[in-house]
Amino acid sequence: MAGVGKRAADDFEDLLPVMADKLGGKGLIKELCNGFQLLMDKDKGVITLESLRRNSALLGLQNFREDELVSMVREGDMDGDGALNQMEFCVLMFRLSPELMEESWIWLEQAMQEEFSDDNKRP
């Protein structure tokens, strides 16, 4: 999180745990996917710095400085292509929220238990 401005991190840390509590794990992932859809460049299918600048007000991020937006893209860009795909965006959102990182292990365990119990029910 070193590259992302403290204000940016604080904004997400305040919002995402509340969303997680209200929506549960699957609901939060769905909302993150919706957020990705709002921010992405429709032609490229990824979040570019330009699409983030253009669409950030839709998610209440209009007051972010240019360097904060650049930092967010750099921080989340795991494959080095200069943009965020959906997985990179979701991972970045979780990384910006330490509380959610802890809770995500619980959700993963629950999802795995559900998956394995569903597998055991299949003929």
Side-chain angles (χ1 to χ4, degrees):
M1 190 166 60
V4 177
K6 180 165 176 30
R7 185 172 62 83
D10 289 345
D11 289 345
F12 287 115
E13 287 172 20
D14 291 343
L15 179 61
L16 288 180
V18 172
M19 289 175 61
D21 287 342
K22 289 184 178 186
L23 302 172
K26 289 181 181 178
L28 177 62
I29 296 298
K30 181 179 177 185
E31 287 305 309
L32 286 175
C33 291
N34 289 340
F36 175 82
Q37 296 294 322
L38 289 172
L39 293 173
M40 78 173 191
D41 179 305
K42 305 299 184 228
D43 295 329
K44 297 179 181 177
V46 294
I47 296 173
T48 63
L49 182 56
E50 182 58 37
S51 71
L52 187 58
R53 278 187 206 114
R54 187 175 53 246
N55 301 323
S56 60
L58 297 172
L59 295 179
L61 307 176
Q62 67 273 8
N63 294 326
F64 278 50
R65 297 185 323 255
E66 177 74 8
D67 64 320
E68 291 173 316
L69 297 175
V70 169
S71 291
M72 287 178 73
V73 172
R74 282 188 188 146
E75 183 79 16
D77 182 17
M78 293 185 276
D79 61 11
D81 66 355
L84 302 177
N85 62 37
Q86 189 167 359
M87 180 60 70
E88 290 170 330
F89 174 74
C90 290
V91 168
L92 176 64
M93 295 300 98
F94 274 84
R95 286 177 55 207
L96 291 175
S97 179
E99 184 179 331
L100 276 184
M101 282 297 290
E102 292 174 20
E103 290 178 19
S104 66
W105 288 108
I106 296 167
W107 296 334
L108 177 61
E109 185 176 308
Q110 289 172 347
M112 289 176 60
Q113 287 175 352
E114 287 176 18
E115 183 66 28
F116 288 131
S117 68
D118 287 347
D119 285 346
N120 291 335
K121 293 177 186 174
R122 294 181 186 139

